[in-house]
């Protein structure tokens, strides 16, 4: 209040008002440009306190502050800063400056009933000393408590008596860092000497931070006047009435603006550090973090705006909020661990809501009709119990079924989750899936089961179709492509071999049969026709490789179908269900209903099952008789159901992604991080295997093969198009080369003057004739007659020519100079 009055007075007189003690954030340079704060704003320490809370991961704090302008001024900025690091201020305890011991004790006992154990204290030393003395008497300075002080108390720890220090053991505090310099040490010596000379009975001879700021402020003002030099510093009178008693009677300084400008531009190295005014106030370069130990304080680290939390002021280029950068901290009660910052309310257990679930393997609730007591067991319960045992601290809890007195469910899973939001339960444990819309009301831990929703369908026996199973290994497009290529390859070989190979000659019907026979016998590598042309041999090399790969793949696929995959799902795709308008099942109270609606299933085609037995009954009836053709549920349920009904049902792809089962806690609960870490420990250890074996493996005798996801094993054209491309290009290239060679050999006909039709008939006639110039029709030697004269080849009639023997039937000759000249068999 005094500062506000002085600020208004200086603004009217145009005289700079310098304060070295007004730290309240409510006082601002924006009120008046003539207000100079030669001290730190209380909000300047807020980032340092936030960094400490963030470093230790505390999610809840309580603010304890003096109920006046000094205390209230820092609360808004401190609350906002803590929210930025996801820390919630659960309670604000405002203590009157003149509160009695009884009033303070009453407020402390109220704080003890809360779960939060991190307290941030903002007040001055007289009230602070009183607060900690009573807190120590109330047992609030024991293990598990955390106390953080602002500079209002930390700056004056050296002035407190021994009893107050003893009651503050383990407390953390922040205060502006004052660098040790020779100038400061010299001043302290001169200060002590002067105080002892003038006040020999005064025991307090240390100069606190406000004294240093006062000295620096006076030095800055002196420097500012020295810059201005000599001048008239008197105040000018204003035209005012004699009866005026307000600010109107204040005289105005003609040099006030010059003094202000000179003061704002003054920079020097003072006793408290670098002195420079920014935005009308002093700024600190670092805060020191101290720990109250023994008879005083000990520095454990620093915080700077540039580097965050650091052990020493080395000013690196990285910002850190790691607690590892701090020195060893002694906490209240001297525990060997860092306090977690919260505890359960005294003498209270966590109320854990559990669903009344039809799948008893996951959660099974039984009631005793005589005692009305409940017993909760199941896979989810065992996992949660093991997780809570893995925590480094004990958490008492009890299970409360979410059901009606007659043993039925009291609502859906969404209703159960909402009970946590309404604070009827402290948590929910069971087969609760982590879903986006549920996370609006609760915080989930990490999942402890595999995730996903899948479709389960009955398996049909394919024995009635076993007569045609040999067609199933290849898809229809691969069958057609293969047949076309067999014919094409046979045609190419016939074109290349027809004129030079007797095996590919004869009547037209015989030649057509040879084309198909030769091509398809390559499938078994049983062809008897010899290949004479090099081009045809090259084509066959490639084709043999294609046939080998194709036949081996066909054999492997057929073998697999005959020996392994004898059962097939009745439905393989969601679109098939929707197209046939089949009935689909989903579990009662499950979120899967919303999922099916998003998948555009007709609600009139959806049927509910409340137990595994009911699901099996719906499947046995079938979609046409009041049952279902398929069911959608989460993978853990589906695997359990399949294991209980061997070789009757299977899961079908695809799997729709969800986050699995998780434990639900209130939003912002400090238990969530610790429980999530414990979930990881349990799921990665052997205990999880034991729990799964207890509830699943021991109750089923089926192998995992029946529950595997089925998909098509047919071989498609996509797997072989590369091979067919190579074979097609090679064959086509050989065919083109063969035709080109034939046309080049008979280029006289091609280049002749006959009509096109005549040329084509002539070429077709020539193509149908033997190429006697080929080595396959050439007589290597003549038979020996007993004399030295060679025997000339005898001309043959045309009838003989058409029935000339195969090249292999010619006898060996001794004279190579008598070749056959042509088709007519005349002697050369």
């Amino acid at each position: 209040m005094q500062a506000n009055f002085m600020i208004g007075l200086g603004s009217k007189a145009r005289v700079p008002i310098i304060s070295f003690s007004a730290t309240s954030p409510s006082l601002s340079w924006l009120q008046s440009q003539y207000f100079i704060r030669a001290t730190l704003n209380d909000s300047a320490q807020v980032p340092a306190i936030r960094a400490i809370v963030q470093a230790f991961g505390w999610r809840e704090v309580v603010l304890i502050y003096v109920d006046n302008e000094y205390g209230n001024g820092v609360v808004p900025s401190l609350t906002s800063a803590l929210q930025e690091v996801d820390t919630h201020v659960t309670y604000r305890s405002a203590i009157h400056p003149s509160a009695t011991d009884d009033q303070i004790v009453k407020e402390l006992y109220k704080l003890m009933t809360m779960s939060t154990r991190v307290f941030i204290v903002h007040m001055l030393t007289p009230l602070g000393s009183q607060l900690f003395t009573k807190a120590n008497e109330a047992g609030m300075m024991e293990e598990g408590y955390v106390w953080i002080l602002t500079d209002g108390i930390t700056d004056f720890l050296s002035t407190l008596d021994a009893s107050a220090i003893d009651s503050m053991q383990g407390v953390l505090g922040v205060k502006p860092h004052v660098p040790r310099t020779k100038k400061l040490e010299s001043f302290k010596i001169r200060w002590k000497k002067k105080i002892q000379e003038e006040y020999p009975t005064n025991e307090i001879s240390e100069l606190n931070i406000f004294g240093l700021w006062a000295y620096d402020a006076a030095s800055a003002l002196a420097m500012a006047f020295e810059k201005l030099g000599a001048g008239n510093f008197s105040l000018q009178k204003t035209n005012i009435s004699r009866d005026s008693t307000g600010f109107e009677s204040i005289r105005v300084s003609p040099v006030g603006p010059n003094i202000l400008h000179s003061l704002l531009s003054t920079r020097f190295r003072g006793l408290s550090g670098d002195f420079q005014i920014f935005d009308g106030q002093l700024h600190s370069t670092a805060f020191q973090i101290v720990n109250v130990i023994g008879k005083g304080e000990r520095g454990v680290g620093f915080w700077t705006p540039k580097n965050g939390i650091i052990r020493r002021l080395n000013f690196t280029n990285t910002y850190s909020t790691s607690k590892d950068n701090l020195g060893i901290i002694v906490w209240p009660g001297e525990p060997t661990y860092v306090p977690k910052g919260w505890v359960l309310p005294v003498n209270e257990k966590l109320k854990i809501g559990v669903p009344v679930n039809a799948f008893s393997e996951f959660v099974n609730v039984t009631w005793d009709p005589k005692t009305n007591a409940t017993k909760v067991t199941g896979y989810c319960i065992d996992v949660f119990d093991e997780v809570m045992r893995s925590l480094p601290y004990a958490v008492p809890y009890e299970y409360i079924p979410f059901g009606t007195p007659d043993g039925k469910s009291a609502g859906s899973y969404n209703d159960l989750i909402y009970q946590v939001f309404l604070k009827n339960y402290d948590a929910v444990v069971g087969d609760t899936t982590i879903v986006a819309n549920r996370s609006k009301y609760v915080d989930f831990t990490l999942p402890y089961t595999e995730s996903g929703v899948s479709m389960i369908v009955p398996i049909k026996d394919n024995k009635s179709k076993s007569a045609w199973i040999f067609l199933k290994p290849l898809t229809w497009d691969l069958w057609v492509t293969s047949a076309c290529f067999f014919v094409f390859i046979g045609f190419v070989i016939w074109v290349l071999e027809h004129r030079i190979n007797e095996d590919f000659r004869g009547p037209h019907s015989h030649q057509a049969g040879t084309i198909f026979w030769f091509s398809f016998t390559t499938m078994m590598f049983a062809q008897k026709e010899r290949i004479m042309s090099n081009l045809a041999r090259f084509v066959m090399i490639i084709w043999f490789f294609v046939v080998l790969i194709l036949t081996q793949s066909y054999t492997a696929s057929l073998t697999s179908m005959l020996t392994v995959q004898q059962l097939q799902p009745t439905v393989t795709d969601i679109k098939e269900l929707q197209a046939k308008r089949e009935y689909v099942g989903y579990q009662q109270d499950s979120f899967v209903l919303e999922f099916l609606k998003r998948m555009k299933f007709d609600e009139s085609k959806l049927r509910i099952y409340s137990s595994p037995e009911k699901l099996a009954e719906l499947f046995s009836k079938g979609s046409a008789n009041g049952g279902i053709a398929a069911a959608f549920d989460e993978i853990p349920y589906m695997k359990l159901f399949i294991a209980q009904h061997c070789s009757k049902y299977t899961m079908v792809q695809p799997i729709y992604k969800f986050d699995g089962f998780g434990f639900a806690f209130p939003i912002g609960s400090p238990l969530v991080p610790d429980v999530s870490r414990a979930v990881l420990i349990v799921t990665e250890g052997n205990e999880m295997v034991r729990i799964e074996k207890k509830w699943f493996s021991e109750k089923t005798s089926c192998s995992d093969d029946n529950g595997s996801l089925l998909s098509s094993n047919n071989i498609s054209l996509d797997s072989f198009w590369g091979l067919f491309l190579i074979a097609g290009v090679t064959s086509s290239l050989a065919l083109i080369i063969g035709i080109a060679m034939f046309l080049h050999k008979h280029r006289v006909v091609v280049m002749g003057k006959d009509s096109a039709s005549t040329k084509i008939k002539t070429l077709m006639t020539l193509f149908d004739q033997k190429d006697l110039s080929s080595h396959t029709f050439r007589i290597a030697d003549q038979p020996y007659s007993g004399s030295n004269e060679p025997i000339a080849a005898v001309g043959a009639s045309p009838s003989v020519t058409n029935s000339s023997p195969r090249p292999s039937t010619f006898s060996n000759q001794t004279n190579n100079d008598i070749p056959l000249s042509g088709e007519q068999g005349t002697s050369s």
Side-chain angles (χ1 to χ4, degrees):
M1 294 173 64
Q2 297 174 26
N4 271 325
F5 177 79
M6 292 299 298
I7 290 172
L9 196 65
S11 177
K12 185 63 179 177
R14 297 181 184 177
V15 173
I17 301 298
I18 305 175
S19 173
F20 54 84
S21 60
T23 61
S24 175
S26 62
L27 304 176
S28 172
W29 181 64
L30 298 177
Q31 295 177 251
S32 172
Q33 61 177 335
Y34 289 95
F35 173 55
I36 303 298
R37 195 202 307 264
T39 182
L40 295 182
N41 188 331
D42 283 335
S43 297
Q45 62 190 318
V46 168
I49 296 175
R50 176 185 61 188
I52 295 174
V53 174
Q54 183 181 9
F56 290 98
W58 296 314
R59 292 289 176 259
E60 294 181 352
V61 299
V62 170
L63 300 185
I64 305 176
Y65 56 94
V66 59
D67 190 11
N68 58 16
E69 187 175 0
Y70 169 76
N72 294 322
V74 77
V75 171
S77 59
L78 184 56
T79 302
S80 300
L82 292 173
Q83 288 178 349
E84 293 176 1
V85 293
D86 297 328
T87 298
H88 179 55
V89 178
T90 58
Y91 183 70
R92 300 178 183 179
S93 177
I95 299 179
H96 194 274
S98 57
T100 63
D101 289 348
D102 292 339
Q103 292 173 332
I104 293 176
V105 170
K106 182 180 179 181
E107 185 67 17
L108 290 175
Y109 277 119
K110 182 190 295 184
L111 298 179
M112 289 180 66
T113 61
M114 302 177 184
S115 61
T116 307
R117 288 295 182 263
V118 180
F119 305 104
I120 300 177
V121 181
H122 179 63
M123 56 184 61
L124 298 177
T125 50
L127 184 59
S129 177
Q130 184 182 7
L131 173 70
F132 279 100
T133 299
K134 295 304 175 184
N136 188 37
E137 293 175 358
M140 296 181 68
M141 301 303 296
E142 303 297 331
E143 290 187 16
Y145 286 89
V146 177
W147 296 85
I148 303 175
L149 306 177
T150 63
D151 59 359
I153 298 179
T154 311
D155 282 330
F156 299 96
L157 287 175
S158 59
T159 65
L160 299 179
D161 55 32
S163 61
I165 293 295
D166 289 341
S167 64
M168 298 173 65
Q169 295 297 303
V171 172
L172 286 180
V174 296
K175 65 178 183 178
H177 171 60
V178 178
R180 292 184 178 181
T181 60
K182 294 181 179 180
K183 181 179 179 180
L184 177 60
E185 295 301 325
S186 175
F187 177 81
K188 286 183 177 180
I189 294 174
R190 290 187 284 113
W191 168 262
K192 289 182 180 180
K193 182 177 180 181
K194 185 175 181 62
I195 291 297
Q196 289 175 357
E197 290 177 355
E198 297 184 4
Y199 307 98
T201 59
N202 195 341
E203 296 181 358
I204 301 177
S205 58
E206 289 289 340
L207 195 64
N208 58 42
I209 186 67
F210 289 98
L212 301 181
W213 282 332
Y215 188 88
D216 288 344
S219 301
L221 184 60
M223 293 179 184
F225 271 92
E226 289 177 353
K227 292 181 182 179
L228 295 177
N232 181 17
F233 297 103
S234 62
L235 300 177
Q236 295 179 351
K237 294 182 179 180
T238 57
N239 296 326
I240 57 175
S241 62
R242 178 177 296 181
D243 298 332
S244 176
T245 57
F247 279 173
E248 295 84 0
S249 61
I250 300 298
R251 298 184 179 185
V252 178
S253 172
V255 296
N258 296 333
I259 298 174
L260 177 64
H261 181 270
S262 180
L263 187 60
L264 293 177
S265 61
T266 300
R267 300 180 183 179
F268 65 97
R269 181 77 170 178
L271 297 179
S272 61
D274 292 331
F275 186 94
Q276 184 177 1
I277 301 298
F278 294 98
D279 297 331
Q281 62 185 6
L282 192 65
H283 284 257
S284 176
T285 58
F287 280 90
Q288 186 179 15
I289 304 172
V290 300
N291 186 203
V292 178
I293 303 174
K295 297 181 179 180
E297 64 187 62
R298 183 185 69 182
V300 294
F302 297 90
W303 179 89
T304 66
K306 183 179 180 181
N307 304 121
I309 295 178
I310 51 178
R311 184 69 181 92
R312 295 178 179 82
L313 291 173
N314 50 8
F315 296 102
T316 61
N317 293 323
T318 58
Y319 187 89
S320 173
T321 57
S322 173
K323 63 183 178 182
D324 297 332
N325 293 340
L326 295 173
I328 298 176
I329 297 176
V330 177
W331 302 99
E334 299 185 8
T336 57
Y337 57 88
V338 176
K340 61 180 181 293
W342 63 273
V343 294
L344 294 174
V346 180
N347 298 326
E348 287 190 19
K349 294 182 178 181
L350 289 181
K351 294 181 292 184
I352 307 296
V354 295
V356 180
N357 195 289
F359 283 77
S360 59
E361 286 78 7
F362 291 96
V363 178
N364 185 29
V365 180
T366 56
W367 278 272
D368 188 342
K370 296 182 180 180
T371 62
N372 201 28
T374 59
K375 182 179 180 181
V376 183
T377 58
Y379 167 76
C380 300
I381 303 302
D382 282 1
V383 172
F384 183 75
D385 290 341
E386 187 63 30
V387 166
M388 299 308 286
R389 281 193 291 267
S390 300
L391 293 176
Y393 46 84
V395 178
Y397 58 90
E398 60 180 347
Y399 295 115
I400 302 177
F402 183 61
T404 59
D406 58 353
K408 297 181 179 180
S409 176
S412 66
Y413 280 77
N414 288 338
D415 297 331
L416 174 58
I417 293 295
Y418 195 64
Q419 297 302 310
V420 178
F421 180 77
L422 297 177
K423 298 184 178 180
N424 294 329
Y425 294 137
D426 297 314
V428 166
V429 171
D431 48 346
T432 51
T433 306
I434 302 172
V435 186
N437 64 329
R438 294 176 180 175
S439 64
K440 299 177 183 177
Y441 306 101
V442 296
D443 280 347
F444 284 99
T445 64
L446 291 176
Y448 58 91
T449 63
E450 59 182 315
S451 61
V453 169
S454 182
M455 178 172 66
I456 183 173
V457 297
I459 296 176
K460 62 181 179 180
D461 193 345
N462 287 337
K463 290 182 179 179
S464 61
K465 298 181 180 180
S466 60
W468 302 101
I469 195 172
F470 67 90
L471 295 176
K472 289 188 175 181
L474 307 184
T475 57
W476 68 269
D477 55 347
L478 185 54
W479 278 116
V480 173
T481 303
S482 301
C484 292
F485 260 83
F486 275 110
V487 175
F488 176 67
I489 294 298
F491 172 75
V492 171
I493 298 300
W494 175 80
V495 171
L496 298 177
E497 294 286 318
H498 176 67
R499 301 184 69 245
I500 63 174
N501 193 337
E502 281 291 341
D503 290 340
F504 290 87
R505 299 188 62 79
H508 294 304
S509 60
H510 175 74
Q511 295 182 45
T514 300
I515 291 175
F516 286 96
W517 166 258
F518 176 81
S519 178
F520 283 96
T521 53
T522 57
M523 221 168 17
M524 286 72 71
F525 305 100
Q527 70 282 353
K528 296 181 179 180
E529 293 79 5
R530 293 189 302 169
I531 302 300
M532 301 298 181
S533 170
N534 287 331
L535 285 175
R537 290 171 177 172
F538 178 69
V539 171
M540 290 306 298
I541 290 174
I542 302 299
W543 181 241
F544 280 150
F545 179 73
V546 174
V547 171
L548 176 65
I549 298 298
L550 189 63
T551 54
Q552 292 296 328
S553 300
Y554 174 85
T555 303
S557 180
L558 181 60
T559 302
S560 175
M561 289 183 175
L562 292 174
T563 58
V564 178
Q565 191 176 354
Q566 298 179 356
L567 301 175
Q568 289 291 333
T570 55
V571 180
T572 59
D573 188 69
I574 286 182
K575 294 181 179 179
E576 182 181 349
L577 287 172
Q578 295 172 331
K580 295 181 178 180
R581 296 186 60 80
E582 300 279 9
Y583 282 91
V584 174
Y586 67 94
Q587 187 181 167
Q588 183 178 4
D589 301 329
S590 173
F591 75 97
V592 176
L593 173 60
E594 300 299 326
F595 164 75
L596 293 176
K597 291 179 180 179
R598 292 199 303 269
M599 298 299 292
K600 299 181 179 180
F601 276 93
D602 187 354
E603 289 192 54
S604 63
K605 296 296 181 180
L606 301 180
R607 286 175 173 160
I608 302 174
Y609 59 87
S610 57
S611 65
E613 293 75 16
K614 181 64 175 179
L615 176 58
E617 180 183 348
L618 289 175
F619 272 130
S620 63
K621 291 181 179 180
S623 180
N625 301 315
I628 57 176
F632 286 85
D633 215 330
E634 296 174 79
I635 290 179
Y637 298 123
M638 295 292 92
K639 284 190 172 182
L640 178 62
F641 181 76
I642 292 172
Q644 293 174 343
H645 300 80
C646 302
S647 304
K648 292 184 179 181
Y649 307 97
T650 185
M651 283 189 291
V652 181
Q653 291 180 332
I655 295 176
Y656 298 91
K657 181 67 175 178
F658 287 90
D659 285 338
F661 296 162
F663 306 125
F665 288 87
I667 293 179
S669 172
L671 268 173
V672 174
D674 292 343
V675 174
S676 293
R677 281 188 285 269
V679 167
L680 291 177
I681 295 174
V682 172
T683 54
E684 294 175 0
N686 296 328
E687 195 62 28
M688 194 69 175
V689 177
R690 183 193 65 80
I691 296 174
E692 291 178 350
K693 184 178 180 180
K694 172 184 176 181
W695 289 102
F696 303 131
S697 299
E698 293 182 354
K699 298 188 178 184
T700 61
S701 59
C702 301
S703 64
D704 293 337
D705 295 339
N706 295 328
S708 61
L709 298 174
L710 297 181
S711 60
S712 176
N713 289 326
N714 295 351
I715 303 173
S716 65
L717 181 60
D718 294 337
S719 304
F720 290 93
W721 71 268
L723 285 174
F724 284 119
L725 177 63
I726 295 173
V729 171
T730 304
S731 304
S732 299
L733 184 61
L735 181 62
I736 293 172
I737 294 175
I739 294 176
M741 293 173 61
F742 171 76
L743 294 177
H744 179 267
K745 185 173 184 178
H746 299 282
R747 59 186 177 277
V748 175
V749 177
V750 176
M751 302 300 294
K753 297 180 180 181
D754 296 335
S755 62
S757 60
T758 303
K759 291 179 181 180
I760 293 175
K761 291 180 179 179
T762 304
L763 290 174
M764 292 298 293
T765 301
L766 292 174
F767 180 78
D768 194 45
Q769 297 176 357
K770 293 181 179 180
D771 183 7
L772 295 180
S773 64
S774 173
H775 69 283
T776 58
F777 293 119
R778 187 181 304 132
I779 299 177
D781 297 310
Q782 292 291 336
Y784 184 69
S785 61
S787 64
N788 294 330
E789 296 295 330
I791 300 176
V794 180
S797 64
S799 61
V800 176
T801 302
N802 291 334
S803 60
S804 58
R806 294 175 55 179
S808 60
T809 62
F810 286 113
S811 59
N812 295 333
Q813 303 294 320
T814 60
N815 194 328
N816 296 331
D817 296 332
I818 310 177
L820 295 177
S821 62
E823 189 72 21
Q824 303 301 324
T826 58
S827 177
S828 59

